[in-house]
Amino acid sequence: MSRFPATRMRRLRRSPALRRLVQQARLHPSQLVWPLFFTQSGTRQPVDGMPGVHQHPVSDAADIAQRAVGLGLGGVLVFGIPDRKDEVGSAAYDEDGISQEAVRALRAAASHLVVIADTCLCAYTDHGHCGVIKDGRVHNDATLDLLARTAVSQARAGADIVAPSDMMDGRVAAIRAALDSADLSDTVVMAYSAKYASAFYGPFRSAADSAPQFGDRRGYQMDPANSDEALREIALDVEEGADIIMVKPGLPSLDIIQRAKQRFGVPLAAYQVSGEYSAIILAGEHGVMDSTRAMDESLVALRRAGADVIITYAAAEVAERLIGSASES
Ligand code: PBG
């Protein structure tokens, strides 16, 4: 590379057209996944601390599905909020449970929409943990069968993808085997592989009513100080049959996204979680930064690091903007 003055880095920054020509990472609606909360009863309710995000009755599903298809979104990610909770999260694997009903309604409204179901027990257990409790601890192996049953019921309801977010060891293999033996070998598994125990999940736990009633999730989610552990988690999930791996939270994990993409070369999703979303939107509402630009910058950074798929609560708004700016130029 020659030096200044032969090399002038600013040459390619001179005009919008030149900048666009050499732009490397881009956002596209087809790579954005929109997380949605569905409740079993009640009306549409705004979620505290997450401006623009709602809990929806299943009767909203058809409109939402049409909007997602109209915007060309990559998919929607369904979270269910059940009416009843118990010790073993039985509403999670009920054929007529809330996530199954929501998946069915979305599927009925839009046959080609990619419908993803979050597979976990925490919103369905009365103690709020992601697995069953034995002797005061979250019991790994006793949880696997329940997760597998949940995934099978979600796939039967019409989910294209099941997304285990519990962080139990061996759950991808258990889910893959259960799907295959239920004649659901085409159902995709998107594993929350590298999931950190993060403060950035704060707003989600009120949205999904899934906060642990005792202790915390550090016995199963990862320590944010560790990176080799994240790569081991991902390697195990790939070996167990995960089709798509996920890293979460997004922006605090750019190093993991980059290493995972380079090492494994499998489709990779990054989740811009509730706290990341809310921090940007609320800062914008307080006039301390431009939330539109901050949102685009955060999401494009995930792409630059190596994410193929981005899960964000802003998916619909961002897609609208992308479509608008494409038609302007
Ligand atoms: C459930 C689950 C959580 C999120 C996705 N699935 C919460 C948690 O683990 O506590 C977080 C999503 C977000 O914060 O947007 N296990």
Side-chain angles (χ1 to χ4, degrees):
M1 192 169 115
S2 57
R3 287 189 298 184
F4 177 84
T7 296
R8 288 181 181 272
M9 296 303 288
R10 291 182 53 195
R11 248 179 233 135
L12 289 171
R13 299 179 194 145
R14 251 183 58 230
S15 71
L18 281 174
R19 290 197 291 270
R20 198 163 49 234
L21 175 70
V22 296
Q23 191 171 65
Q24 283 191 275
R26 288 204 169 101
L27 296 173
H28 193 271
S30 64
Q31 295 162 321
L32 301 177
V33 169
W34 191 16
L36 303 165
F37 300 104
F38 285 98
T39 51
Q40 215 146 17
S41 47
T43 54
R44 193 166 183 258
Q45 296 293 335
V47 171
D48 274 352
M50 296 184 74
V53 177
H54 294 83
Q55 294 181 341
H56 295 276
V58 173
S59 56
D60 280 358
D63 285 349
I64 292 172
Q66 305 295 350
R67 183 162 179 222
V69 169
L71 292 169
L73 292 183
V76 294
L77 171 60
V78 172
F79 292 97
I81 303 157
D83 273 349
R84 71 185 163 85
K85 299 179 192 255
D86 60 27
E87 250 185 304
V88 291
S90 51
Y93 36 92
D94 179 345
E95 300 283 338
D96 300 317
I98 178 61
S99 79
Q100 293 80 358
E101 290 292 352
V103 165
R104 243 177 245 124
L106 292 160
R107 170 61 58 241
S111 56
H112 297 298
L113 175 65
V114 173
V115 177
I116 309 170
D118 183 90
T119 304
C120 198
L121 301 184
C122 59
Y124 303 86
T125 51
D126 51 15
H127 45 75
H129 279 289
C130 302
V132 291
I133 306 289
K134 281 199 175 155
D135 304 322
R137 296 179 54 112
V138 175
H139 194 283
N140 193 88
D141 298 12
T143 303
L144 298 180
D145 178 50
L146 305 184
L147 291 167
R149 283 168 63 183
T150 305
V152 167
S153 67
Q154 291 169 326
R156 282 199 181 122
D160 302 284
I161 304 181
V162 292
S165 65
D166 52 284
M167 289 299 278
M168 298 301 119
D169 288 318
R171 91 279 207 211
V172 171
I175 288 171
R176 184 70 270 158
L179 289 170
D180 290 354
S181 56
D183 206 15
L184 293 161
S185 57
D186 284 337
T187 303
V188 171
V189 176
M190 175 167 79
Y192 287 69
S193 302
K195 178 171 178 179
Y196 287 97
S198 172
F200 286 97
Y201 309 153
F204 175 93
R205 292 185 187 166
S206 59
D209 187 24
S210 66
Q213 300 303 303
F214 66 91
D216 55 41
R217 302 212 203 289
R218 281 182 283 197
Y220 40 106
Q221 299 180 351
M222 285 191 313
D223 181 345
N226 296 348
S227 52
D228 291 338
E229 187 184 353
L231 296 197
R232 294 182 69 201
E233 283 281 8
I234 294 168
L236 288 166
D237 283 358
V238 170
E239 239 174 71
E240 289 177 30
D243 303 286
I244 304 174
I245 55 171
M246 196 204 297
V247 176
K248 162 184 188 207
L251 213 56
S253 312
L254 292 178
D255 57 328
I256 306 302
I257 295 171
Q258 186 176 37
R259 286 179 73 187
K261 190 65 199 177
Q262 282 171 354
R263 169 95 62 101
F264 301 103
V266 301
L268 188 153
Y271 198 147
Q272 182 196 53
V273 300
S274 56
E276 300 178 72
Y277 168 86
S278 292
I280 293 171
I281 302 295
L282 294 172
E285 287 187 356
H286 283 78
V288 295
M289 63 185 183
D290 178 336
S291 62
T292 304
R293 290 186 51 210
M295 180 61 71
D296 289 355
E297 187 178 328
S298 297
L299 299 180
V300 91
L302 298 172
R303 294 272 301 133
R304 193 185 68 222
D308 303 297
V309 176
I310 294 177
I311 303 166
T312 171
Y313 299 94
E317 287 76 29
V318 171
E320 255 156 27
R321 209 158 55 234
L322 291 170
I323 293 165
S325 65
S327 59
E328 268 162 35
S329 50

